Amino acid sequence: MSWRFISLPPQDGYHMVTSFVAVADYVSRGGKNTLLVFYSDKPFVNVGVHQEVWLEVNLEFTKKMGIPVVRRDLGGGTVVITPGEHDYFIVVKADEAPSSPKALYEKYLTPVVNVLKSYGINAQLRDQDIVVNGKKISGNGAMTYNKAVVITGNILLSLDVDLISKCIRVPTEKFRDKMAKEMSDWLTSLEKELGYIPPREEINKKLKEEFEKSLGVKFEEANLTPEEIELWDRLAKEKMNEEWIYYKDNRHPELHTERCVKINSAVALCHLDYKARKLVRITVKIVNKKFDEVSISGDFFIMSPKDFLEYLEDSLKGASVSDFEKIIRKVFEEKKPVIFGFTADDLVNAFKEILNKPEVQEVI
């Protein structure tokens, strides 16, 4: 089977997060499976599609430094992308890809693991990440697009922990110092592991060899088609629109809180960070024992269906607080979402925890 291998020059953040959509459109229309590699020309903050920017990003710092905030179409957490990483995008026909996230990551990330092992590094796949002796060296995500499946990821060549920690929103500066230290403890890079950074051309050569060996495919060196480039540029311009960047924030402007407060005898506002397999952030406004508004965000991945989270939020809005479990389970049964990071049970438990908060108990 023949695949395309495309290596591009460095790109800005808006083009970084839209390249794979243009390629997925090409693959969906019967084009060849594609492995695309390139990297960012300057730092940017990359926010997951299900996250609220105000909760994740130190906007005061990023605006001062001119570091763009870019919302991608993929789930996962907020990451600071720098030229110190090597990014890859694997785009395949949906009918060739495993339907379970676990099997999908195993199939298409094993070649990347093998590239790292070829440098004598003890690399292993852990969920959707690749770790070296427990430290993350590669973060990955997946999404469906029409008749294509996209796996995106990176290999950390070098790390700028100071810059990364300053871009992320934290409660205090003391916490930021702690986070920077923790980042050094749970992230690693080829530079840290090897004492040098291998040339990108060498990494690309190894990637091609390992994909060919592992998947039984043959690469042809290729360029993006004119149609892909045209769509790519249009999508990148759309990603620059602040309505898109802050759409999750602006969807719930009244829910910008990280506390639980009783506003009066009938109204409470409550936020909860719930750790399932991934982090789920829930904020609710309860008025007269009903959900007046519900926000669900986090660093999880929803591969299908599109707009599942918005549908779930809207299904809970206006409902009696006593009906939350019935509604959640009905929506999961109806939509049958493919989610990596939390289950219907996790969500039910998180809402139970919120409704058991003293501030909420007083109004329900």
Side-chain angles (χ1 to χ4, degrees):
M1 187 190 299
S2 177
W3 279 39
R4 295 190 306 172
F5 181 87
I6 300 176
S7 177
L8 296 174
Q11 302 290 328
D12 63 55
Y14 307 104
H15 281 84
M16 288 289 293
V17 303
T18 49
S19 59
F20 54 85
V21 181
V23 175
D25 182 74
Y26 158 86
V27 172
S28 282
R29 290 185 286 102
K32 291 184 177 182
N33 292 349
T34 302
L35 175 58
L36 181 70
V37 294
F38 60 104
Y39 58 99
S40 65
D41 59 0
K42 60 184 178 185
F44 68 97
V45 182
N46 190 4
V47 179
V49 69
H50 306 303
Q51 294 189 303
E52 294 181 67
V53 174
W54 78 272
L55 272 170
E56 311 293 345
V57 182
N58 179 7
L59 289 168
E60 185 183 348
F61 176 78
T62 56
K63 285 175 179 174
K64 185 176 80 175
M65 300 302 292
I67 298 172
V69 175
V70 182
R71 180 185 294 278
R72 61 185 182 270
D73 289 299
L74 276 166
T78 294
V79 289
V80 181
I81 307 295
T82 74
E85 62 182 62
H86 196 61
D87 296 81
Y88 50 81
F89 305 84
I90 305 151
V91 188
V92 298
K93 294 177 179 66
D95 59 8
E96 295 177 21
S99 57
S100 90
K102 185 175 186 294
L104 181 78
Y105 289 129
E106 282 179 357
K107 179 173 182 177
Y108 294 111
L109 294 181
T110 295
V112 184
V113 171
N114 290 340
V115 167
L116 294 170
K117 283 183 174 177
S118 75
Y119 285 103
I121 292 173
N122 179 29
Q124 294 174 311
L125 187 61
R126 187 176 68 191
D127 293 335
Q128 81 278 20
D129 295 329
I130 300 172
V131 299
V132 176
N133 301 322
K135 295 185 175 187
K136 184 159 93 169
I137 197 168
S138 169
N140 301 272
M143 66 176 282
T144 53
Y145 180 94
N146 292 342
K147 296 177 182 177
V149 171
V150 180
I151 303 96
T152 74
N154 58 47
I155 297 171
L156 293 174
L157 304 183
S158 61
L159 271 173
D160 188 343
V161 168
D162 182 60
L163 177 71
I164 294 169
S165 66
K166 285 176 179 171
C167 289
I168 304 298
R169 185 175 183 267
V170 293
T172 64
E173 286 306 310
K174 188 175 179 183
F175 189 93
R176 191 181 309 286
D177 294 339
K178 180 173 178 283
M179 183 179 72
K181 183 185 180 305
E182 286 177 352
M183 240 186 271
S184 296
D185 290 342
W186 60 263
L187 287 175
T188 190
S189 65
L190 283 177
E191 186 176 39
K192 281 174 79 171
E193 297 297 324
L194 302 176
Y196 71 99
I197 300 173
R200 292 181 193 269
E201 297 76 16
E202 180 181 288
I203 295 171
N204 288 344
K205 183 171 180 289
K206 286 175 177 280
L207 281 169
K208 283 192 285 187
E209 289 169 356
E210 290 298 337
F211 270 87
E212 287 183 338
K213 193 189 306 178
S214 180
L215 300 179
V217 301
K218 193 72 184 166
F219 280 116
E220 61 176 50
E221 299 280 343
N223 297 310
L224 294 174
T225 65
E227 292 80 13
E228 284 173 292
I229 293 169
E230 184 183 347
L231 176 58
W232 185 21
D233 283 337
R234 178 162 59 77
L235 292 171
K237 285 192 180 81
E238 289 173 6
K239 286 289 177 283
M240 297 175 192
N241 189 326
E242 291 211 344
E243 281 183 26
W244 163 253
I245 297 167
Y246 296 99
Y247 100 87
K248 190 77 178 168
D249 304 52
N250 296 337
R251 182 172 157 81
H252 306 289
E254 294 181 19
L255 298 187
H256 288 197
T257 182
E258 291 181 272
R259 300 186 300 144
C260 276
V261 290
K262 174 188 169 186
I263 295 170
N264 59 44
S265 61
V267 181
L269 194 61
C270 193
H271 175 90
L272 174 76
D273 282 352
Y274 185 86
K275 192 74 177 87
R277 198 163 187 178
K278 293 297 224 174
L279 180 66
V280 182
R281 296 182 185 265
I282 299 171
T283 314
V284 299
K285 184 181 181 184
I286 295 167
V287 179
N288 295 322
K289 301 182 182 179
K290 290 185 176 181
F291 291 115
D292 183 68
E293 200 166 352
V294 176
S295 170
I296 303 168
S297 64
D299 60 0
F300 41 80
F301 299 85
I302 300 179
M303 292 186 65
S304 65
K306 192 174 184 295
D307 301 326
F308 170 76
L309 213 54
E310 288 76 10
Y311 182 84
L312 178 59
E313 290 175 348
D314 290 343
S315 298
L316 287 163
K317 189 174 181 176
S320 168
V321 294
S322 59
D323 291 337
F324 79 91
E325 181 169 359
K326 182 173 68 179
I327 292 167
I328 289 171
R329 296 200 185 281
K330 182 185 174 193
V331 169
F332 269 74
E333 179 57 34
E334 178 189 339
K335 295 294 185 180
K336 295 182 170 49
V338 179
I339 298 173
F340 189 86
F342 71 90
T343 63
D345 286 341
D346 289 323
L347 215 50
V348 166
N349 290 335
F351 271 86
K352 282 180 180 174
E353 204 171 307
I354 277 190
L355 296 179
N356 282 328
K357 294 281 186 183
E359 298 86 352
V360 176
Q361 282 289 306
E362 288 179 29
V363 304
I364 63 171

